[in-house]
Amino acid sequence: MAVEPSDDHERLPCGTSADTLLDHLRAGTVTDHERTCPHCRAAAEEFRPLLSALGAALDDDRQVTAPPGLLDDVMSVVRAEGRSRSTIRLPRTGGDGAPGDTRVRHSAVSAMLRARVDPAGGLLLGRCRIEETSEGLVVAATARVLTGTVIPEATASARRDMSTFVEDRLGLRVARIDIDVTDVIDLP
Amino acid sequence: MHTDTALPESVLVERAQDGDDHAFEALVRRHQDTVYRIALRTLGDAAEARDTAQEALITAWRRLPDLRDPQAFPAWLHRMVGRLALNALRARRPEDPAEEDHSELRERGAGPVDRALATDLHEALRAALAGLPPPQRICWVLREMEGLGYEEIAEIVDTTPTAVRGRIHRARTHLVEALEPWR
């Protein structure tokens, strides 16, 4: 938490800040001074109903949940809007059939690429951006590694899985796959 | 995709930033209760709180690419709903410039009859909160009920941390007085 401003609107005659006293009362960490000082004790007595009410309100709050349907309403707007409408055009294979282009949205390609990287390999992909260049597809991903993962092995394996996918399933060339490891994590 | 709910939050945030709506859905599932609660506490009205929560979550999706630190997602989202709730409060009484931090008390949504009916402390607190000027109410709610720091609150309500501290102090003084009969 950020450093709080030092000017205090509310100091008791003994110099204790009302904020601090309240925090201690709430956390059950009252100091010896606060326990014995008449000013602190009087203030604590004054705050008692508010603290009880706050406790009751927080207890009730825990029962408050978002109304049913909120998630669906939000997600239907989100899905209708999508994020990026950019697409990549897949090369045509074979000469049969009616003419026509096949385009896949970047967000769909990113999702498929992420899904190719099995977390069991110790790497979790976050951001995964793609760009088409004359040399082929450039993938820029961020990743978290699970504790104990050998990073060069995990990233090499992820690159392999993603390249195979791009080449075999999309029929595109891969120019490069950059993986930026941003953190080491433990899975819950 | 089915494992999204088990992924660390920062991974979900980055995926959602890339346009992965499944990842965003997992984030909404995690945070919708808190978002709704902040709106409800601030506005005191379930229908308005639902609208505000929905607007906050959709705005979050739209602005997500601008979020630089994925770890900051919850605080960023709370700021968003806090700000929208405050705007909704202000819009409710256009004749009353809610920016003005009047310290006199107003009866709002909880008249004397409601007070008389307030049979327990929580009800009394609710009534007392409803009587606070909106800027004081939102500062107090964000501080005491959502545990935000002065700096964060200042950003939401567009003022200085010192002003936030002053509002919380005035709100607390009012609430302590309003709850005096329970001492």
Side-chain angles (χ1 to χ4, degrees), chain A residues 54-64:
Chain A
L54 185 58
L58 289 172
D59 280 347
D60 284 357
D61 248 17
R62 279 182 211 109
Q63 328 273 327
V64 173

Side-chain angles (χ1 to χ4, degrees), chain A residues 142-155:
Chain A
T142 59
R144 270 100 183 141
V145 289
L146 304 187
T147 309
T149 303
V150 181
I151 297 176
E153 282 175 19
T155 50

Side-chain angles (χ1 to χ4, degrees), chain A residues 3 12 23 25 27 39 43-44 52 79 82-83 86 99 117 129 153 166:
Chain A
V3 176
L12 305 177
D23 286 347
L25 288 167
H39 302 293
S52 316
R79 295 208 170 92
R83 172 75 80 217
S86 357
V117 179
R129 299 207 168 140
E153 282 175 19
V166 171

Side-chain angles (χ1 to χ4, degrees), chain A residues 59-141:
Chain A
D59 280 347
D60 284 357
D61 248 17
R62 279 182 211 109
Q63 328 273 327
V64 173
T65 52
L70 177 64
L71 176 77
D72 289 344
D73 289 351
V74 169
M75 290 315 297
S76 65
V77 174
V78 164
R79 295 208 170 92
E81 285 185 3
R83 172 75 80 217
S84 147
R85 305 212 172 256
S86 357
T87 55
I88 51 174
R89 198 175 72 168
L90 302 190
R92 302 187 62 182
T93 51
D96 302 335
D101 281 340
T102 303
R103 295 174 188 280
V104 187
R105 262 201 204 173
H106 281 195
S107 54
V109 176
S110 299
M112 289 187 277
L113 285 173
R114 282 192 290 257
R116 298 302 291 189
V117 179
D118 186 353
L123 207 63
L124 268 177
L125 289 199
R127 205 164 281 156
C128 182
R129 299 207 168 140
I130 54 168
E131 191 192 344
E132 276 183 290
T133 68
S134 53
E135 287 85 47
L137 208 63
V138 173
V139 180

Side-chain angles (χ1 to χ4, degrees), chain A residues 19 26 81 127-128 142, chain B residues 14 17-18 62 144 150:
Chain A
D19 262 359
R26 288 176 70 168
E81 285 185 3
R127 205 164 281 156
C128 182
T142 59
Chain B
E14 288 190 355
Q17 287 182 309
D18 265 6
R62 290 178 184 152
E144 303 295 350
Y150 293 115

Side-chain angles (χ1 to χ4, degrees), chain A residues 83 127 129, chain B residues 13 16-19 59-68 76:
Chain A
R83 172 75 80 217
R127 205 164 281 156
R129 299 207 168 140
Chain B
V13 171
Q17 287 182 309
D18 265 6
T59 309
W61 166 254
R62 290 178 184 152
R63 299 209 186 139
L64 203 50
D66 302 333
L67 176 67
R68 264 180 284 167
W76 178 80

